[in-house]
Amino acid sequence: MAAPRYIAEPADKLALARLDGLCALFHGPSGATHIVAPPAPEILAALREGPADAATLLDRLAERFEFADAGAADAISARLAELEAAGLVRRA
């Protein structure tokens, strides 16, 4: 079974404000505001490059950030599940 691929809401549907290490994300379609921590905003930005599964996202993020943790792929998968539950990403 192939890993699920995700897409993010278009940038014009989200407003982001950085707040001392956290981010407030306003999701226009639902009217909900979410408080998220890194790497959630970075995952959303990487998904705007196109649909991706966790491994592809990890590759995209590794181009910009250094990962010392061997469990980074699991962490990305967990964040994707959280973002999906919040309605900020959906399966492609």
Side-chain angles (χ1 to χ4, degrees):
M1 176 187 280
R5 292 171 23 110
Y6 295 88
I7 56 175
E9 285 283 356
D12 65 345
K13 303 290 185 197
L14 293 174
L16 179 127
R18 298 203 181 265
L19 310 164
D20 292 331
L22 298 175
C23 291
L25 283 172
F26 175 72
H27 183 240
S30 69
T33 299
H34 305 272
I35 304 297
V36 297
E42 293 78 10
I43 289 171
L44 293 170
L47 279 174
R48 288 201 182 89
E49 296 175 25
D53 60 14
T56 301
L57 273 176
L58 184 59
D59 290 342
R60 288 179 189 171
L61 291 168
E63 292 175 6
R64 297 178 192 98
F65 305 101
E66 188 174 315
F67 294 104
D69 185 357
D74 291 337
I76 297 296
S77 293
R79 298 301 74 78
L80 282 167
E82 292 169 357
L83 291 168
E84 182 180 28
L88 298 172
V89 302
R90 63 185 184 276
R91 293 186 187 215

